[in-house]
Amino acid sequence: ISFSYFGASPALMGACTERNINLAFCRPNGRFLARATGESNGNVLLRRQQYRVADDEMKSCCIAKNMVSGKVFNARWSLERTLRDHRFQVDTTVLKQASENLQRALGEIAKVENLDSLRGLEGEAAARYFDVFDCLLLNNKNMFFFAGRSRRPPLDPVNAMLSFIYTIL
């Protein structure tokens, strides 16, 4: 992924796509511009079945439940790993409570029967995770912190990341 206006030569793009290496080009603020990918083999029968499932809310909900469960499970796992590896550096009470909330959410997600309810549970679980996300950032808290979710990335994510990497080295 390139976050600049520097391009890639057609020869480089061709070599990458031949090796199934995808290239993505974004503006410095993170907005997507273009992508180069290798040859893809479409499967008409698979695509038709995907459309059938998308039109059936029960089947769609079943698939979406698995995806949302994986997302919530991984978020909880991240909290548990932080509790295990950095228990003396973090607020264990807050992280344990968030982990328990995510565990309860997993049980509710397993029982849900419609997509709207599933979306609500996913949103609540994401809110619980991101409420404590700043606790997971342990170094350079004065420069690298999480204040809240935003649809817009920083104006210059490349320089922000480079300065962060420089400060931790």
Side-chain angles (χ1 to χ4, degrees):
I1 298 175
S2 173
F3 289 96
S4 70
Y5 291 109
F6 295 109
S9 70
L12 174 63
M13 288 191 287
C16 287
T17 58
E18 286 173 4
R19 293 170 177 83
N20 290 320
I21 299 170
N22 296 322
L23 300 174
F25 300 95
C26 299
R27 292 184 178 146
N29 69 357
R31 191 167 186 86
F32 176 77
L33 289 171
R35 131 182 43 235
T37 60
E39 185 178 335
S40 66
N41 298 321
N43 184 332
V44 173
L45 299 176
L46 173 63
R47 195 75 60 235
R48 288 179 66 199
Q49 184 61 30
Q50 288 171 334
Y51 281 118
R52 284 187 197 106
V53 169
D55 288 337
D56 183 332
E57 183 164 334
M58 291 302 291
K59 288 180 181 177
S60 294
C61 188
C62 184
I63 292 170
K65 281 189 337 185
N66 288 325
M67 297 168 78
V68 171
S69 292
K71 176 181 173 181
V72 174
F73 179 89
N74 286 337
R76 182 171 183 265
W77 188 259
S78 178
L79 298 179
E80 291 293 325
R81 186 177 56 238
T82 300
L83 282 166
R84 183 187 67 233
D85 295 347
H86 304 287
R87 67 180 163 271
F88 299 115
Q89 294 176 275
V90 298
D91 185 342
T92 57
T93 305
V94 169
L95 290 181
K96 282 181 183 178
Q97 182 64 47
S99 178
E100 289 169 7
N101 289 338
L102 294 178
Q103 180 64 34
R104 277 192 295 278
L106 284 169
E108 293 175 26
I109 289 166
K111 297 175 193 169
V112 77
E113 295 186 8
N114 66 68
L115 290 171
D116 286 335
S117 297
L118 180 61
R119 287 184 194 102
L121 291 171
E122 178 184 20
E124 289 174 20
R128 298 296 74 79
Y129 177 69
F130 284 108
D131 284 346
V132 298
F133 188 78
D134 193 54
C135 297
L136 306 179
L137 306 174
L138 303 176
N139 297 318
N140 298 317
K141 295 290 269 187
N142 60 334
M143 292 181 60
F144 193 67
F145 55 89
F146 181 78
R149 296 167 71 188
S150 171
R151 289 185 51 189
R152 301 281 180 232
L155 290 177
D156 191 354
V158 173
N159 285 338
M161 186 54 73
L162 289 176
S163 67
F164 169 70
I165 291 170
Y166 177 74
T167 58
I168 62 174
L169 296 178

